[in-house]
Amino acid sequence: MLALTVIVLGSILLALFYGISIYNSLVQIKHNVGAAWSNIDVLLKQRHDELPKLVETCRQYKEFEQATLERVTEARNRVQQARESHDLPALGLAEGVLRAGLGQLFAVVEAYPELKANEHFSQLLQRVSALEDAIADRRELYNDSVNINNVRVEQFPDSIVAGMYKFRKAQFLRFADSEKSDVDFKTLFGAMSEPH
């Protein structure tokens, strides 16, 4: 009888510790998703702050295509709204529109050699390019974290603990199919570093 009691109590304690281990693991994964999102959020905000400077530098050239600048500004605002509301589907679409607008803006700049030679513009371009690269890297890390979270929330026996404590699947950050490729600033402005 004593042996049976010890076995039953041991089994209960083992199940309890296993459940606690799963719970703690799910908490860690959930926080990893949050931290990965925070990294993207910081970079999006930094780019949000840099783009008006870039647009204003282009705007100083009176004949510069104003419609292109307006599209970039409007897309920037959409990204900001989606970022602030944490609306990942809207953010993905807005990012695609912004990247297309930036690609068009930098294609138009090719017709303005004085602007391309402007040191302030060159510094802004390098800053925005570095931010674009960092956003792409962080988006990949975020989506990896989301995938780990979603697998753990669905797989057995983690799904039991996840359901009991309301752990939920997270959303991936996806860009529109037509806008999946990142803006390649180095290709667009490869000629900038070449001597004229």
Side-chain angles (χ1 to χ4, degrees):
M1 185 68 152
L2 181 60
L4 182 58
T5 305
V6 169
I7 291 172
V8 169
L9 285 176
S11 298
I12 291 171
L13 285 175
L14 185 61
L16 180 65
F17 284 126
Y18 187 62
I20 291 170
S21 172
I22 290 173
Y23 176 83
N24 288 338
S25 179
L26 290 170
V27 167
Q28 180 65 46
I29 290 168
K30 181 177 110 176
H31 286 285
N32 287 346
V33 170
W37 171 254
S38 293
N39 289 334
I40 291 173
D41 195 46
V42 166
L43 293 169
L44 290 174
K45 183 173 183 339
Q46 288 174 355
R47 186 187 59 190
H48 180 81
D49 293 343
E50 293 295 327
L51 286 178
K53 298 173 194 172
L54 193 65
V55 168
E56 191 53 42
T57 301
C58 293
R59 197 167 268 152
Q60 292 172 7
Y61 292 79
K62 300 293 182 210
E63 64 279 354
F64 196 88
E65 227 179 90
Q66 295 302 310
T68 302
L69 297 176
E70 288 170 11
R71 276 192 292 277
V72 168
T73 301
E74 183 180 326
R76 170 189 169 261
N77 292 337
R78 286 185 187 164
V79 168
Q80 179 69 6
Q81 290 169 350
R83 182 185 74 79
E84 288 175 350
S85 65
H86 203 282
D87 183 349
L88 293 187
L91 179 61
L93 290 173
E95 272 291 314
V97 172
L98 178 60
R99 288 169 182 273
L102 285 173
Q104 186 177 10
L105 176 105
F106 293 128
V108 170
V109 166
E110 290 296 321
Y112 299 91
E114 291 175 11
L115 177 58
K116 283 176 54 177
N118 181 308
E119 187 176 327
H120 182 63
F121 176 79
S122 180
Q123 290 171 347
L124 287 169
L125 175 66
Q126 289 173 0
R127 174 79 174 132
V128 170
S129 178
L131 287 168
E132 290 294 322
D133 290 344
I135 289 168
D137 291 342
R138 295 296 191 256
R139 181 172 57 99
E140 185 177 338
L141 178 64
Y142 171 79
N143 283 339
D144 287 344
S145 298
V146 166
N147 186 55
I148 291 167
N149 177 78
N150 293 352
V151 167
R152 289 292 302 272
V153 165
E154 286 185 21
Q155 77 184 19
F156 182 83
D158 298 15
S159 60
I160 296 169
V161 175
M164 288 171 51
Y165 293 99
K166 303 198 184 327
F167 287 94
R168 299 285 177 242
K169 290 175 69 174
Q171 288 184 307
F172 289 99
L173 177 55
R174 293 189 170 117
F175 294 151
D177 287 341
S178 61
E179 304 299 341
K180 279 190 179 174
S181 63
D182 292 332
V183 175
D184 186 354
F185 292 101
K186 292 177 184 90
T187 300
L188 285 171
F189 283 98
M192 283 187 69
S193 57
E194 297 171 4
H196 294 289

